[in-house]
Amino acid sequence: MSTSAPPSPLLVLDAVGKVYTGEIETRALADVSFAVSPGEFLAIVGSSGSGKTTLLNLLGLLDTPSEGRLVLDGQDASRLEPDEAARVRRERLGFIFQFHYLLPEFSALENALMPCRVAGNDRAEREEPRMRALLDRVGLGDKLAKRPHQLSGGEQQRVAIVRALANDPLLVLADEPTGNLDSRNADEVFALLQALTREAGKAVIMVTHDHELAERADRIITLKDGRVASDVRSPGPKAD
Amino acid sequence: MATPFTLSVALRQLAYNRGQTLLTIGVVATSVTLIIFISSLINGLQVRIVNNVTDSIAHVRIMPEERQPQALWERESAEGDPLAVGRVAKLEQRQRKIEGWQPWLERIRSLVRDDLLTLVPSTEGSAVISRETKRIPARLLGVVPEDYNRIVDIQSNLVSGRFFALNGGEAAIGLRLSRDLGVSLGDRVRLLSAEGNVSNVTVAGIFDTGFGSVDGGAVFVPVRDAQSLLGIGNAITGFGLKVTDVFEAERVAGELRQQLPFRIESWMQDNERTLSGLRAQSGSSQMIVAFTTLSAGLAIAALMVMAVTNKYREIGILKAMGASSRQILRIFTLQGLILSLIGALLGTLASLGLLAWLGSLKTISATTGKASDLFPIALTLGNFLIGNGLALATGFFASLYPAWRASRVDPIKVIRGQ
């Protein structure tokens, strides 16, 4: 269903579907196919119940599709064992959620480094200068040692954005990244997300119900009843 | 098993949730205190009870075999049987003695060896001690005071006079007996043995050991005097020995029974009821330890389940970042171990303090005016190891369930707040 086929896609979804089995069978996704190129900023929109969250869970390897294939960086990641999925998340993916979910026991810098700490301590030491620079870049250079509760909502979400880039992922998944912020902060945080990922050349898939925000992405996929209703390139600043 | 990541998260969470951490440490510390304290106290009580019994007696007594009356028809008839119908077998009840006993002394010493604390020959019999019109039945003990003192400590419990270097014609008696008789140091008393021999002796020592049977009914005289009162010449009536571990007395007695032609009794046979009481007490002490451990374990588990439930979102985000279930499991089992380690340490210190304080309390005896410990405390390394070992094991096992729950957290379910 993709409008264009880049030479080497970062992520390919091929007829992906998801059915929740339980007391009643619920189909959440059906025949979803698209490809994402490196560096692409993709927004997925849709009303609630359209399957956005399900799709994001599949993309984040937090859940497995019932049908179809999901190929990440040339590797079939459709049905990985939990530990293998965790490894791929650790090495290839970055997450930003609606709520920052910073660990309250750790400072801003430590939180930003957490994915590296999960992966092993050497990595955390190696990445620390880069994380300091990134935090400085988002205006938190003087708040590295602050705990999350000492930061404002916008500041917390900026730490979360930097954290999503800690392990140098191929793909950043953002779930309503500004949904919990007022419009001024939302604007700033989104701009930072876009700028940082663009500078680092990372692909981003953002799920949102905010059409205004989605308009600022390179491409918008609209889901309806678990199917791709439209897939359009937005006339945004970075349109090809 | 601890990586910098799991350890740092475990420690930070403990430091951050101070209230819950202190509560859990408190539970562990209280249990460890209780376990060490209760076992030391019960141990101490047992030691005191056992000492009360064993300090005043020989642990193993060796006596001549008692002759069993035997009916004629029970005897296997043999040729030249001296017994003939109509003759009555004479049973010499009175003259139970061991002649030529010195070789036996060496034999016993070599048999008991490492278990032996002290071995003394004894010359004992019944006698009536009297002064004017007062006559009191007593146990007559012919002793070498310096040797016998290792069986019952008379010397250091002397109220007046002496025990060591007791001369012929002198006797040492208990304070109670002296009061009952109305005699004091230097008075003369009359001893009439069951064999009918009489001797007048001077009271040269009065002691107060605190053991009723010794203070109220024992008369110590030199061996020779006892031998002549009992009419046994140079013979003795038995041996008494103390062993290094009082609870090994029955085993030692059993071994001696195989090797010696004597009747051998241990204090454990004579005090079976006391011992079964002690066993019941040990059992109840173990029950207390078991239930304390169980309730501590449940409390730790409950507190940690609460902590894990409060952390679902953070656990979810860690898993989304790629933390494995095993890493999450480690974080919480590490917390269990750390909490119980600190708790055990504090509990040990608290129990030491408590025991030191209780050990310093004294009680004054109403009868003798002597100060003694109010609580007998017997603190053993074993109690410590058991208390601390149980705490660590409990902390670890109690954390397994909460940790398992944490490791099973599904990021999808918690991150969206569903």
Side-chain angles (χ1 to χ4, degrees):
Chain A
M1 286 281 287
S2 57
T3 49
S4 67
S8 63
L10 178 69
L11 175 76
V12 177
L13 270 75
D14 181 15
V16 166
K18 178 72 185 176
V19 176
Y20 289 109
T21 51
E23 282 177 31
I24 41 166
E25 257 192 21
T26 322
R27 173 163 285 280
L29 287 177
D31 193 28
V32 174
S33 301
F34 62 85
V36 181
S37 318
E40 199 171 12
F41 198 117
L42 171 70
I44 295 174
V45 295
S47 55
S48 63
S50 60
K52 306 192 293 281
T53 305
T54 303
L55 181 57
L56 194 75
N57 289 339
L58 295 181
L59 294 173
L61 308 184
L62 297 169
D63 205 350
T64 50
S66 314
E67 57 219 27
R69 282 200 326 145
L70 190 155
V71 181
L72 179 65
D73 197 25
Q75 184 198 357
D76 188 345
S78 313
R79 280 158 200 89
L80 297 176
E81 291 299 310
D83 279 355
E84 184 61 14
R87 192 185 61 76
V88 175
R89 285 201 297 274
R90 209 151 60 216
E91 293 173 0
R92 309 274 171 88
L93 301 177
F95 286 88
I96 303 167
F97 300 99
Q98 179 175 3
F99 301 98
H100 58 82
Y101 295 141
L102 300 175
L103 302 187
E105 304 90 354
F106 291 86
S107 72
L109 178 62
E110 287 167 329
N111 264 293
L113 279 165
M114 197 53 70
C116 303
R117 285 173 168 245
V118 172
N121 213 43
D122 304 352
R123 182 149 188 192
E125 276 168 32
R126 223 168 41 233
E127 302 287 0
E128 195 183 315
R130 191 168 64 87
M131 288 295 103
R132 281 176 181 275
L134 277 177
L135 285 168
D136 196 40
R137 169 82 174 73
V138 299
L140 295 173
D142 56 342
K143 294 185 172 168
L144 298 179
K146 295 264 193 257
R147 294 285 173 93
H149 72 268
Q150 296 169 306
L151 302 174
S152 70
E155 288 170 335
Q156 290 167 341
Q157 200 62 340
R158 287 180 222 183
V159 176
I161 290 171
V162 172
R163 178 177 65 183
L165 296 170
N167 54 356
D168 201 17
L170 295 171
L171 176 64
V172 174
L173 297 166
D175 183 8
E176 302 280 10
T178 60
N180 200 35
L181 302 174
D182 61 61
S183 58
R184 192 178 59 81
N185 262 311
D187 210 51
E188 276 180 31
V189 164
F190 182 82
L192 279 171
L193 169 63
Q194 210 165 27
L196 288 187
T197 50
R198 192 161 291 163
E199 282 163 24
K202 306 299 176 199
V204 179
I205 297 178
M206 173 180 74
V207 164
T208 183
H209 63 267
D210 184 342
H211 284 275
E212 216 172 294
L213 214 56
E215 291 297 325
R216 293 162 70 174
D218 302 335
R219 176 180 166 199
I220 303 172
I221 289 179
T222 308
L223 286 182
K224 194 175 180 192
D225 300 330
R227 291 172 184 275
V228 177
S230 71
D231 184 348
V232 294
R233 306 228 138 240
S234 99
K238 211 225 161 194
D240 290 343
Chain B
M1 74 174 240
T3 60
F5 163 65
T6 52
L7 189 64
S8 70
V9 174
L11 286 174
R12 288 292 180 92
Q13 287 189 350
L14 290 180
Y16 190 77
N17 304 318
R18 207 166 303 145
Q20 189 243 335
T21 300
L22 290 179
L23 215 56
T24 316
I25 289 176
V27 168
V28 179
T30 311
S31 319
V32 171
T33 307
L34 198 62
I35 289 173
I36 294 179
F37 175 68
I38 292 277
S39 11
S40 300
L41 196 62
I42 289 182
N43 251 8
L45 276 172
Q46 298 211 334
V47 169
R48 179 182 277 186
I49 291 168
V50 169
N51 285 351
N52 279 351
V53 173
T54 58
D55 282 3
S56 65
I57 54 172
H59 299 158
V60 177
R61 288 180 297 143
I62 300 171
M63 295 155 287
E65 195 77 57
E66 212 160 345
R67 294 174 200 184
Q68 296 294 324
Q70 209 170 24
L72 277 173
W73 54 87
E74 286 174 338
R75 270 179 83 96
E76 282 178 39
S77 67
E79 267 189 71
D81 191 334
L83 287 174
V85 175
R87 267 174 74 183
V88 178
K90 260 192 185 170
L91 298 173
E92 296 179 77
Q93 276 285 339
R94 292 194 214 152
Q95 298 253 319
R96 286 167 48 204
K97 58 183 179 183
I98 301 172
E99 306 258 17
W101 48 271
Q102 282 87 353
W104 288 118
L105 197 67
E106 286 315 308
R107 180 83 198 284
I108 295 166
R109 209 185 292 283
S110 69
L111 284 173
V112 184
R113 300 182 117 215
D114 295 341
D115 291 311
L116 189 66
L117 198 63
T118 190
L119 170 65
V120 295
S122 60
T123 313
E124 292 185 35
S126 316
V128 173
I129 182 168
S130 59
R131 161 89 174 166
E132 291 163 1
T133 56
K134 290 203 180 103
R135 302 155 70 85
I136 296 172
R139 204 153 58 92
L140 179 73
L141 293 110
V143 297
V144 177
E146 290 76 5
D147 291 343
Y148 191 82
N149 207 62
R150 293 202 297 268
I151 301 274
V152 189
D153 186 6
I154 303 289
Q155 183 65 20
S156 59
N157 288 307
L158 278 171
V159 177
S160 60
R162 62 202 150 74
F163 178 62
F164 285 0
L166 208 58
N167 294 320
E170 287 182 342
I173 61 173
L175 185 63
R176 181 123 59 91
L177 187 57
S178 76
R179 282 185 182 149
D180 292 348
L181 279 170
V183 299
S184 49
L185 203 68
D187 287 346
R188 286 183 76 76
V189 291
R190 187 164 177 268
L191 291 172
L192 167 64
S193 72
E195 284 72 14
N197 302 318
V198 178
S199 173
N200 286 304
V201 296
T202 306
V203 176
I206 295 176
F207 53 82
D208 185 18
T209 60
F211 301 118
S213 63
V214 180
D215 295 344
V219 180
F220 292 98
V221 296
V223 177
R224 288 241 162 263
D225 290 10
Q227 283 170 335
S228 61
L229 271 165
L230 298 173
I232 55 173
N234 285 326
I236 59 167
T237 60
F239 301 94
L241 59 92
K242 289 226 168 193
V243 288
T244 46
D245 179 352
V246 292
F247 291 104
E248 293 297 315
E250 183 50 40
R251 180 181 59 76
V252 172
E255 285 167 15
L256 288 175
R257 272 181 212 122
Q258 313 257 312
Q259 303 284 335
L260 299 175
F262 298 125
R263 188 155 67 92
I264 292 156
E265 286 176 358
S266 76
W267 73 274
M268 296 169 86
Q269 283 175 294
D270 300 340
N271 295 277
E272 185 46 47
R273 284 171 70 175
T274 308
L275 282 172
S276 72
L278 290 180
R279 278 194 287 272
Q281 207 179 34
S282 290
S284 61
S285 141
Q286 281 156 13
M287 295 256 284
I288 293 174
V289 169
F291 280 112
T292 307
T293 309
L294 186 68
S295 54
L298 292 177
I300 296 168
L303 284 164
M304 285 193 64
V305 165
M306 262 170 55
V308 165
T309 309
N310 287 334
K311 292 265 159 225
Y312 271 0
R313 297 227 166 135
E314 281 91 356
I315 295 165
I317 192 79
L318 283 173
K319 290 189 100 176
M321 279 179 212
S324 65
S325 297
R326 204 173 313 132
Q327 283 176 311
I328 303 294
L329 196 74
R330 273 180 203 161
I331 290 173
F332 289 95
T333 47
L334 268 174
Q335 287 189 358
L337 276 177
I338 293 165
L339 289 171
S340 47
L341 203 66
I342 299 173
L345 196 72
L346 291 180
T348 302
L349 291 177
S351 64
L352 278 181
L354 198 60
L355 290 172
W357 175 65
L358 283 177
S360 71
L361 295 181
K362 301 287 176 197
T363 176
I364 308 291
S365 162
T367 51
T368 62
K370 274 199 254 180
S372 60
D373 291 344
L374 182 58
F375 292 101
I377 306 289
L379 190 56
T380 63
L381 185 63
N383 292 348
F384 268 113
L385 294 181
I386 287 172
N388 285 285
L390 279 179
L392 288 183
T394 308
F396 177 71
F397 286 113
S399 70
L400 281 183
Y401 172 65
W404 175 79
R405 275 181 65 143
S407 75
R408 296 277 309 239
V409 164
D410 183 352
I412 295 175
K413 294 215 172 92
V414 295
I415 287 172
R416 276 244 160 179
Q418 286 164 352

